[in-house]
């Protein structure tokens, strides 16, 4: 592939100036309602644990590897403890009590013996309980220290190699299924101008209740997320970062049934961004809502500690719901994602809130409505690195029309100061893109940002014109929906947001809180529940 001139970007980093004349009182009300809707969910997350949270704790204590059938040792150990004494007090009390009693010399041996059913687990009491808790805390500290060291390393490498000079960061996807094929594609994409490389996860991995081990060479429409694959790709991007003189960021997916574990592995291997939406798994993978919210809070605490930017998935709502009529549900989800993220310790610069260019292009004024929605997101979250997603739903297979739509998408991104711009492919809905397709897509981005990147300084929608009116209407509808959610009494003791999800409020998907995949992995915490990782993370917040 021929080398090309890097993307020229006009907009400097930093918050954009307001373009819409929105009522500050309405914005404050929207955030207040989001807090009220989210608080009961946070309480639920604080009072429950899951098998994946407990497995993540053991991973931070150093347990890794899998048996000859590929079942991770963390799964064996958590399952054995749960079967014998339950997880209501956490996995660490019985595990580290067993180590103190001499049942095994280390966690790996204990897990192996537990898989054979040869370890008796007990719930320690009094002094034994305190001793087990103390040993557990000491055991997870090296894992937390590694996450902290990786964050410092990232900061050092950014200082050495430099960030992209301007925004938006160009975000490009690779995913062959084979990590050893992904690596050269990712390096080539970086050389052609990409700043952020996302390795799409193999289809269906979100529904696996375990994390595969090792480097993988087979995946469907993506590559498995494993610790070794993370390590290999991070090393490859470090190599090309040094070559190019700018730090290339790596993205993967902290979602699905193993969200806490994958977030932990991302911290241990210095990933930079993670797809981590509060409702995506519920709506589009039918994962139990309580399981998702418990796992998401823990995973976001890990991301906060690791300095990882999250990317949320509001764009997905518009693949099932109408992008015009349901625009306000995107805004509501962004506000909810912001609340949940900040409650877990994430800062504004880590909130890659999502939205997308998904209005049917056949509708009159579709471009103006897309512009209004993008400006609304930009003004509501001025310090957040918004992630702007290209058209997918209305890509027909006509590559010429698709290339034009992607150009319009790039133009909206330039005009509204988006921060993370996912490169659209004209072969979307036709095939997995070739390297040549990516090159053409990057040419599209380069042209638009070079020719029109400065429009963010010049473009101001007329007062009370179409764009301002549309944005205000969407915000007003978002406030109305949040009020409806907060004021919905429902069944006694019900959580309003969970009821709204059950009713199909988001993405037209109805997901009751007492159903869905992974429900059997949710455990209500008993008095005395101990999680040494949560203790350290809460202290950090």
């Amino acid at each position: 592939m021929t080398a090309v001139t890097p993307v020229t970007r006009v907009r400097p980093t930093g918050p954009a100036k307001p373009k819409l004349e929105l009522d500050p009182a309405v914005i404050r009300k929207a955030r207040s309602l989001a807090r009220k809707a989210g608080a009961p969910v946070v309480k639920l997350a604080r009072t429950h644990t899951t098998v994946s949270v407990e497995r993540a704790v053991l991973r931070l204590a150093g347990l890794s590897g899998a048996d000859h059938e590929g079942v991770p040792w963390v799964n064996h150990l958590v399952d054995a403890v749960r079967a014998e004494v339950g997880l209501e007090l956490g996995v660490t009390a019985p595990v580290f009590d067993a180590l103190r009693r001499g049942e095994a010399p280390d966690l790996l041996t204990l897990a192996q013996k537990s898989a054979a059913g040869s370890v008796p687990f007990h719930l320690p009491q009094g002094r034994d309980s305190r001793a087990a808790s103390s040993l557990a805390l000491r055991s997870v500290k090296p894992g937390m220290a590694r996450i902290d060291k990786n964050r410092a390393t990232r900061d050092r490498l950014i200082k050495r190699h430099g960030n992209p000079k301007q925004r938006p960061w160009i975000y490009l996807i690779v995913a062959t299924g084979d990590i050893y094929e992904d690596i050269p594609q990712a390096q080539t994409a970086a050389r052609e101008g990409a700043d952020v490389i996302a390795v799409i996860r193999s289809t269906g991995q979100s529904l696996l209740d375990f994390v595969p081990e090792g480097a993988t060479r087979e995946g469907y429409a993506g590559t498995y997320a494993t610790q070794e694959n993370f390590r290999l790709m991070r090393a490859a991007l470090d190599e090309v970062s040094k070559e190019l003189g700018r730090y290339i960021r790596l993205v993967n997916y902290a979602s699905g049934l193993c969200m806490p574990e994958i977030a932990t592995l991302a911290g241990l291997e210095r990933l930079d961004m993670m797809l981590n939406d509060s409702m995506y798994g519920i709506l589009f993978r039918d994962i139990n809502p309580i399981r998702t919210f418990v796992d998401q809070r823990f995973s976001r605490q890990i991301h906060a500690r690791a300095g990882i930017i999250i990317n949320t998935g509001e764009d997905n709502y518009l693949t099932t719901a109408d992008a015009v009529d349901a625009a306000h549900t995107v805004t509501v989800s962004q506000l909810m994602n912001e609340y949940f993220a900040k409650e877990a310790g994430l800062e504004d610069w880590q909130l890659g809130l999502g939205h997308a260019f998904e209005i049917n292009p056949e509708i009159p004024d579709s471009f103006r409505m897309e512009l209004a929605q993008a400006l609304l997101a930009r003004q509501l979250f001025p310090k957040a690195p918004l992630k702007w997603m290209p058209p997918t739903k209305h890509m027909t297979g006509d590559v010429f029309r698709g290339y034009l739509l992607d150009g319009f998408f790039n133009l909206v991104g330039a005009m509204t100061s988006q921060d993370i711009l996912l490169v659209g492919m004209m072969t979307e809905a036709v095939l997995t893109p070739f390297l040549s397709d990516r090159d053409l897509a990057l040419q599209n981005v380069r042209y638009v940002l070079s020719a029109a990147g400065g429009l963010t300084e010049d473009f101001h929608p007329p007062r009370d014109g179409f764009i301002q009116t549309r944005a205000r209407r969407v915000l007003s509808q978002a406030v109305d929906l949040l009020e409806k959610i907060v004021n919905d009494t429902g069944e006694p003791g019900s959580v309003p947001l969970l009821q709204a999800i059950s009713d199909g409020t988001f993405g037209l998907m109805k997901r009751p809180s007492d159903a869905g995949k992974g429900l059997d992995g949710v455990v209500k915490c008993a008095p005395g529940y101990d999680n040494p990782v949560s203790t350290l993370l809460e202290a950090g917040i």
Side-chain angles (χ1 to χ4, degrees), residues 94-378:
V95 162
F96 286 93
D97 175 69
L99 290 179
R100 287 187 67 252
R101 290 188 283 108
E103 294 292 344
D106 52 51
L107 278 176
L108 177 58
T109 307
L110 186 71
Q112 292 169 339
K113 291 180 68 176
S114 75
S118 58
V119 179
F121 290 104
H122 307 294
L123 292 176
Q125 303 294 322
R127 181 180 300 175
D128 290 336
S129 176
R130 291 189 294 272
S133 178
S134 178
L135 178 58
L137 186 62
R138 293 197 303 273
S139 298
V140 300
K141 282 185 175 180
M144 295 296 290
R146 180 171 166 180
I147 289 176
D148 293 342
K149 182 179 179 182
N150 281 338
R151 180 170 182 165
T153 298
R154 181 192 300 113
D155 291 342
R156 186 175 70 252
L157 290 175
I158 290 172
K159 186 176 182 180
R160 179 186 301 168
H161 301 315
N163 264 319
K165 300 299 182 185
Q166 307 287 343
R167 298 287 181 99
W169 288 341
I170 306 306
Y171 179 117
L172 197 139
I173 291 168
V174 300
T176 67
D178 181 344
I179 188 62
Y180 294 106
E181 290 294 330
D182 288 345
I183 285 171
Q185 289 202 17
Q187 291 179 320
T188 299
R191 294 184 184 109
E192 295 300 315
D195 305 308
V196 181
I197 301 296
V199 182
I200 292 288
R201 197 167 59 178
S202 181
T203 298
Q205 185 176 350
S206 62
L207 300 182
L208 298 179
D209 214 344
F210 68 93
V211 180
E213 281 285 326
T216 63
R217 309 204 67 170
E218 293 182 354
Y220 181 74
T223 302
Y224 284 101
T226 74
Q227 184 170 5
E228 180 63 6
N229 285 348
F230 288 177
R231 187 191 68 81
L232 289 168
M233 185 59 81
R234 181 65 270 168
L237 294 185
D238 283 347
E239 182 181 308
V240 80
S241 295
K242 182 178 180 180
E243 172 192 327
L244 298 174
R246 73 180 194 279
Y247 184 74
I248 306 299
R249 285 169 168 80
L250 175 58
V251 186
N252 214 282
Y253 290 65
S255 60
L257 293 172
C258 293
M259 191 191 306
E261 294 172 86
I262 293 177
T264 297
L265 297 178
L268 292 172
E269 299 300 337
R270 190 170 38 88
L271 273 67
D272 307 289
M273 293 185 189
M274 296 297 283
L275 278 290
N276 186 243
D277 184 75
S278 61
M279 289 189 281
Y280 173 82
I282 300 168
L283 302 177
F284 299 99
R285 293 295 181 264
D286 193 21
I287 296 174
N288 175 258
I290 298 174
R291 171 78 177 258
T292 298
F293 283 119
V294 175
D295 284 349
Q296 127 355 118
R297 184 172 188 270
F298 183 92
S299 67
R300 288 186 175 186
Q301 288 181 308
I302 292 286
H303 291 143
R305 182 72 173 244
I308 288 172
I309 296 171
I310 66 166
N311 294 168
T312 61
E314 283 80 8
D315 57 289
N316 292 282
Y317 303 169
L318 304 183
T319 62
T320 53
D322 182 79
V324 176
D325 295 338
H328 63 292
T329 67
V330 169
T331 302
V332 168
S333 180
Q334 289 170 332
L335 289 162
M336 297 306 309
N337 261 310
E338 179 192 48
Y339 167 74
F340 289 132
K342 288 192 171 184
E343 189 281 330
L346 288 156
E347 300 180 48
D348 282 317
W349 64 268
Q350 294 175 284
L351 305 184
L353 301 174
H355 58 135
F357 190 93
E358 291 287 18
I359 295 175
N360 186 344
E362 303 299 329
I363 295 175
D365 293 317
S366 62
F367 182 81
R368 298 167 82 191
M369 285 189 281
E370 295 283 18
L371 199 52
Q373 189 74 20
L375 277 172
L376 176 61
R378 180 71 281 166

Side-chain angles (χ1 to χ4, degrees), residues 476-492:
S476 176
Q477 290 172 329
V479 169
D480 290 344
L481 177 54
L482 283 166
E483 284 186 319
K484 180 181 177 183
I485 291 171
V486 169
N487 295 326
D488 185 1
T489 54
E491 298 293 328

